[in-house]
Amino acid sequence: MRAIVFEAPGQLAVSEVLDPTPGPKDVVIEVAGVGICGTDIHVFEGHYGGTEFPIIPGHEATGTVVAVGAEVTRLGVGDRVAVDPTLSCGECDYCVNGRYNLCLHWNSMGVTRDNGASAQFLRAPARNTYRLPPEVDLYQASMIEPLSCAMRAFDVLPRRLGEHYLIYGAGTMGLLLAQLAPRAGAATVCVVDPNQSRHELAREVGVETVAASADDLDRDKWDVVIDASGVVAAIEDGLPRVKPGGTFQQFGVSPAEARATYSPISIVRDEVSMVGSAASLNTLGRAVEMFAAGAIRSIPMISHAFALADYAEAMDMFRRGVGGKLQIRPNAAESIELSSVARR
Ligand SMILES: [Zn+2]
Ligand SMILES: [Zn+2]
């Protein structure tokens, strides 16, 4: 099969590799779509930490089951599925206590070890796959994996109905969080992103208030402030905007060496909660339900679909911040533009 292989940090090849075969508890999936995200760029550059090269990247995948292992009973050939890329050990203290996303031996397909989905076929443990209802579009459904991470944020966020939310970052994750917030009880949602080219897409997916800076907004304190950018300047801007008694959530991924400063006394005096959210935990199945229920407007968000041969171009476009969500379609012959909203 044809696959993208990161041979070593910074080295990409479009290669012919052996077709995967399923182990007893695995399925093999013909990949339809796989989203590109910042994690793939970190993996490519060798900055993710823990990546075993060579590796086929891609962890936001959907496709159709084409082979099943001898012990797989829950799925069959022809089933359309979304894939949870998380590989947890099941045996460490965190796994035993149900905190698989904190597993001491945490891995992710296409990120740390085991091949990912930027290939015509993907082998995955059957227990990592979730059947899609017939009304769900298989290409659009590659938003389900990032959606499952956004849903984790709400699982750990202390919240009440009727609160006001401020979200930093109008990238894919910021816009998923912004679309979920009203369903989680938000009265209003504001999104801030200095990259004004993203503002129209934010409005297109239903965000009423979008601004380049929180200084431009009517309100000056919010019950819930979520950083979905990982940018230190955004984090330092957002923390003091949390209402007394409110919550700051760190969702965006910063470089390991990043440090943000804040006023400890204001956290004490204002009883501000600070909450982290890492990857997903038992959210992928519910993300399928939310996606099927139309909770997310994915159509304007996915701006381009790339054939494997154009993977390097897709990474370059991602780095330049052009377009919306970029998708690879490993079995497509050519690349196409899908939605121009993100580029206007
Ligand atoms: Zn991702
Ligand atoms: Zn574990």
Side-chain angles (χ1 to χ4, degrees):
M1 67 171 180
R2 268 155 67 83
I4 297 302
V5 181
F6 291 169
E7 306 275 7
Q11 282 182 39
L12 178 155
V14 187
S15 299
E16 204 53 51
V17 302
L18 285 177
D19 285 357
T21 51
K25 294 181 175 173
D26 297 333
V27 297
V28 172
I29 295 156
E30 182 181 48
V31 180
V34 52
I36 286 195
C37 85
T39 299
D40 299 302
I41 307 295
H42 292 308
V43 170
F44 177 66
E45 291 169 349
H47 296 155
Y48 189 83
T51 302
E52 293 173 13
F53 292 92
I55 192 169
I56 297 174
H59 57 276
E60 302 180 356
T62 58
T64 305
V65 174
V66 292
V68 299
E71 294 172 26
V72 175
T73 53
R74 197 174 56 82
L75 288 162
V77 170
D79 281 340
R80 303 170 338 130
V81 294
V83 182
D84 180 350
T86 304
L87 303 168
S88 46
C89 77
E91 290 172 8
C92 72
D93 274 359
Y94 297 99
C95 284
V96 166
N97 286 293
R99 303 288 296 267
Y100 305 103
N101 61 333
L102 305 180
C103 173
L104 292 173
H105 311 287
W106 185 92
N107 279 288
S108 177
M109 289 181 245
V111 176
T112 55
R113 68 169 172 78
D114 286 20
N115 285 326
S118 302
Q120 290 182 284
F121 299 98
L122 169 72
R123 173 178 50 215
R127 67 184 159 92
N128 286 57
T129 61
Y130 293 80
R131 196 183 281 115
L132 298 171
E135 70 272 20
V136 167
D137 180 273
L138 198 51
Y139 294 114
Q140 295 294 322
S142 70
M143 293 294 275
I144 287 173
E145 193 279 337
L147 177 61
S148 76
C149 298
M151 287 173 63
R152 171 67 185 160
F154 290 94
D155 279 358
V156 290
L157 185 66
R159 63 181 197 272
R160 297 183 304 170
L161 297 178
E163 293 183 316
H164 300 282
Y165 282 56
L166 173 62
I167 296 173
Y168 286 76
T172 297
M173 298 316 303
L175 294 185
L176 290 176
L177 292 163
Q179 291 175 82
L180 289 175
R183 290 177 176 259
T188 67
V189 181
C190 302
V191 171
V192 166
D193 196 315
N195 181 350
Q196 307 227 12
S197 72
R198 291 175 170 167
H199 290 191
E200 187 179 350
L201 177 59
R203 290 189 198 96
E204 186 81 10
V205 300
V207 181
E208 277 175 29
T209 311
V210 194
S213 157
D215 291 333
D216 301 336
L217 299 167
D218 295 342
R219 187 176 295 280
D220 53 29
K221 295 274 184 183
W222 284 262
D223 303 282
V224 177
V225 176
I226 304 177
D227 171 64
S229 73
V231 175
V232 169
I235 296 162
E236 292 180 341
D237 188 71
L239 252 169
R241 298 184 193 269
V242 179
K243 248 189 210 171
T247 301
F248 180 85
Q249 185 167 57
Q250 187 59 49
F251 183 91
V253 177
S254 311
E257 65 278 11
R259 296 290 180 272
T261 57
Y262 66 94
S263 155
I265 186 60
S266 66
I267 301 294
V268 171
R269 189 190 55 218
D270 294 343
E271 291 197 333
V272 167
S273 300
M274 294 173 73
V275 180
S277 175
S280 66
L281 177 63
N282 301 327
T283 43
L284 210 134
R286 284 182 286 138
V288 171
E289 302 296 332
M290 290 293 268
F291 192 83
I296 297 302
R297 294 187 203 172
S298 64
I299 289 174
M301 294 180 74
I302 303 176
S303 65
H304 295 76
F306 291 90
L308 275 187
D310 296 327
Y311 192 94
E313 187 192 330
M315 276 210 305
D316 182 53
M317 194 182 258
F318 185 94
R319 283 205 192 84
R320 286 185 288 121
V322 179
K325 186 68 174 172
L326 309 179
Q327 180 178 82
I328 305 296
R329 294 184 180 177
N331 288 290
E334 54 188 40
S335 303
I336 48 173
E337 181 169 339
L338 298 167
S339 161
S340 59
V341 176
R343 288 156 56 96
R344 262 180 241 145

